[in-house]
Amino acid sequence: MASTVNNVLVFGGSRNIGYYSALRFLRQGASVNFMLRSTSVFDDSASHAELQTYIKSGKAKLLKGDALVNTDVKSAYEAASACSPVDLVLFTVGGIPEFSLTKGFVLNPPDLVSKCFLNVICSIPTDSPNLKCIFISSSGLTKKSHRAAVPGLFKPLYSHFLAGPHRDKIGMERVLAYCTGWSWEAEDGEATDVLGTDWRERTGLPAPGSLENVLVIRPALLTDGECVAETDTKGKAPYRIALDADLKGYTISRKDVSHLVAVAATEKWNEYKNKIVGIVY
């Protein structure tokens, strides 16, 4: 049975997967709250004409704040819940890395995702037992996923050029494994280089094994292609997915990942919740 999403809080929604997903929820009639460092990011009417109609109607709300600042995240939850409880948190934070021949793609700060994620997960309202959480990660992060899911041609790309951004997301997945009670392989380490050594002592961190209603999506290498799911695929699935398994493949468009986000949060939540889902063409 399909479920509804009425009030969404998006971290990382200024562009890419978060932005495209937000538009899908708005089209379905939901209210969407964007936490943004700059609330002028959508001012260009030519680029954001559709979203601006939702902003003017009040269905889309722009909340100024930085997810790196814990008090800003708490304020975003409070503002988003002012009229009705938030029933979906979507976390798609990811920086714009700089490229270095010696270091590959480098984030500044290198722990951007991990820090933002800790603030978000430690601020989840304790009085929202039905809150859904969707977190965007990446394929090939863990040692097992790298061995099983990354094609041979892409292994140097993942091992060197994407090592920094992926290390940051390993921090997010380590915290998630702790809070959900999911298994964590010793070979993947504790990610203290991005999390610090005292992250388990954070105020508000969900107790071990207590976090539920969570979905982690691990896309393959992301592209800016069109949404295949909205074209005529002649009866074929637009993309492949795997539940709690590693799925080998090359790429997936950000727009198709947003399609999966919307479908998972509504039509297939009971099937996908509390799982890691891989997506690739």
Side-chain angles (χ1 to χ4, degrees):
M1 179 182 295
S3 61
T4 58
V5 170
N6 298 310
N7 193 14
V8 184
L9 176 56
V10 183
F11 297 93
S14 63
R15 58 194 177 92
N16 297 333
I17 296 170
Y19 180 81
Y20 301 134
S21 301
L23 283 177
R24 290 183 179 278
F25 290 122
L26 286 164
R27 291 168 192 152
Q28 293 173 3
S31 295
V32 175
N33 304 271
F34 295 82
M35 184 183 182
L36 304 162
R37 283 181 294 175
S38 172
T39 55
S40 63
V41 68
F42 301 135
D43 284 356
D44 183 352
S45 58
S47 301
H48 305 291
E50 181 182 5
L51 180 58
Q52 286 192 3
T53 63
Y54 292 114
I55 294 172
K56 291 174 182 176
S57 71
K59 295 296 285 185
K61 299 178 177 64
L62 311 185
L63 311 177
K64 184 172 177 57
D66 188 340
L68 284 168
V69 180
N70 190 47
T71 53
D72 284 3
V73 173
K74 290 182 180 295
S75 295
Y77 274 105
E78 292 171 2
S81 304
C83 296
S84 64
V86 172
D87 53 12
L88 173 66
V89 168
L90 176 60
F91 183 88
T92 66
V93 171
I96 302 176
E98 298 179 353
F99 180 72
S100 163
L101 282 175
T102 57
K103 297 181 180 179
F105 289 100
V106 180
L107 284 174
N108 185 21
D111 54 358
L112 172 70
V113 174
S114 297
K115 279 190 173 178
C116 291
F117 176 75
L118 275 170
N119 287 336
V120 169
I121 202 169
C122 290
S123 301
I124 291 176
T126 57
D127 58 352
S128 301
N130 297 319
L131 178 69
K132 303 172 183 176
C133 297
I134 298 180
F135 304 110
I136 304 300
S137 185
S138 179
S139 176
L141 293 186
T142 65
K143 301 289 187 182
K144 178 182 177 181
S145 179
H146 184 86
R147 290 190 295 265
V150 180
L153 289 175
F154 277 13
K155 286 190 184 294
L157 172 66
Y158 278 64
S159 298
H160 177 65
F161 293 108
L162 296 177
H166 281 188
R167 186 64 186 165
D168 194 12
K169 288 190 176 180
I170 275 282
M172 178 183 74
E173 291 214 9
R174 177 65 192 101
V175 176
L176 270 172
Y178 174 85
C179 295
T180 58
W182 297 347
S183 63
W184 185 255
E185 299 296 332
E187 66 177 352
D188 293 315
E190 289 299 307
T192 53
D193 51 326
V194 289
L195 291 172
T197 57
D198 59 351
W199 61 268
R200 291 177 179 82
E201 300 169 18
R202 281 284 303 265
T203 300
L205 186 72
S210 68
L211 186 63
E212 297 182 335
N213 256 11
V214 169
L215 168 62
V216 176
I217 296 178
R218 286 182 180 172
L221 191 68
L222 293 166
T223 73
D224 290 323
E226 292 304 311
C227 182
V228 175
E230 293 178 340
T231 64
D232 182 6
T233 57
K234 298 181 179 179
K236 297 181 180 179
Y239 45 73
R240 295 180 291 140
I241 63 169
L243 305 183
D244 290 333
D246 296 294
L247 192 62
K248 180 172 286 189
Y250 289 92
T251 63
I252 187 71
S253 78
R254 294 175 173 89
K255 290 182 178 178
D256 271 315
V257 177
S258 77
H259 177 270
L260 174 61
V261 167
V263 169
T266 55
E267 299 173 27
K268 296 192 175 183
W269 186 250
N270 287 334
E271 180 182 349
Y272 291 170
K273 68 179 180 180
N274 302 322
K275 289 182 173 60
I276 296 174
V277 176
I279 175 173
V280 67
Y281 289 133

